[in-house]
Amino acid sequence: RHPTVLWAQRKEIIYLTIELHDAENAELSLTATSIDYANTTDDNKYAFHLDFFKPIKHDSYKKSATGRKTLLILDKQDPEWWPRLTEKSGKLNFLKTDFDHWKDEDDSDDEKPAFDGQDFMQMGGMPGMGGMGGMPGMGGMGGMPDMSALASMMGGADGMKGFDAPGADGSDSDGDEQEESK
């Protein structure tokens, strides 16, 4: 069995996240060209071996192990962007892209990720669009004519005869007057 392995890169480093609970007891072996990982949890053995696309500085990595995962930060021997993590191309079902750490080659180093910590309510709507109509106390949609003005343009309320929708005559379906909010 293989644990799920996530990877991302920068020009100088590789992020590897191994998602497996009880990760503190893992056996990890790093060389300049490969990584070997093994762990047993819930009586299941998990392991993988990867040959890197290019060499790393295996003696200067950083490791953080929690109860759920192990995060490794590996320094590349030559700072350059890799087209893939592994030496051979091909799909490994347990290896996935880590979008939490991913940055493209053309992204600047001081750029913040899109929507990082922003309140979506402050983004505003599409230009020219009003508020949501029909909600009590919220007013109508901006740019839409007032229905009473529309009725007067049609010759007063008489122009609305034959229109039996609830509220068309200013009352709701119970016959009670509707409250007009301003």
Side-chain angles (χ1 to χ4, degrees):
R1 291 183 128 174
H2 301 291
T4 299
V5 179
L6 305 173
W7 86 283
Q9 71 173 318
R10 301 288 192 279
K11 187 174 184 178
E12 302 84 17
I13 60 174
I14 294 289
Y15 291 101
L16 274 185
T17 304
I18 304 159
E19 293 185 335
L20 188 65
H21 66 282
D22 296 333
E24 304 95 5
N25 302 323
E27 297 173 24
L28 178 68
S29 173
L30 266 177
T31 68
T33 58
S34 69
I35 181 172
D36 286 290
Y37 176 91
N39 194 3
T40 302
T41 182
D42 298 332
D43 295 326
N44 293 313
K45 292 182 180 184
Y46 295 87
F48 70 88
H49 171 86
L50 293 174
D51 291 315
F52 295 123
F53 180 74
K54 290 205 171 180
I56 62 162
K57 298 178 186 175
H58 67 282
D59 53 345
S60 68
Y61 70 94
K62 295 179 182 94
K63 175 183 170 185
S64 172
T66 66
R68 292 240 179 253
K69 61 185 174 185
T70 301
L71 174 64
L72 299 171
I73 301 175
L74 311 172
D75 294 318
K76 295 178 181 178
Q77 193 166 350
D78 298 316
E80 61 183 288
W81 291 92
W82 294 358
R84 61 184 177 274
L85 176 65
T86 57
E87 180 181 42
K88 295 178 183 173
S89 63
K91 176 80 172 133
L92 298 173
N93 291 334
F94 65 93
L95 185 61
K96 302 177 186 311
T97 303
D98 185 350
F99 290 106
D100 290 339
H101 290 109
W102 191 263
K103 192 176 262 193
D104 287 324
E105 185 174 356
D106 57 353
D107 290 343
S108 69
D109 289 336
D110 58 347
E111 230 177 71
K112 289 184 181 177
F115 308 115
D116 186 33
Q118 289 184 9
D119 182 3
F120 285 104
M121 297 303 289
Q122 294 178 0
M123 290 178 62
M126 293 176 62
M129 297 295 288
M132 305 258 308
M135 296 181 71
M138 296 296 287
M141 289 180 61
M144 295 295 289
D146 183 5
M147 292 309 275
S148 61
L150 183 61
S152 67
M153 286 190 276
M154 295 176 66
D158 292 340
M160 299 288 283
K161 285 186 180 168
F163 186 68
D164 294 331
D169 61 354
S171 65
D172 60 18
S173 59
D174 296 344
D176 296 333
E177 289 292 318
Q178 284 185 339
E179 239 182 77
E180 191 173 311
S181 60
K182 295 198 181 219

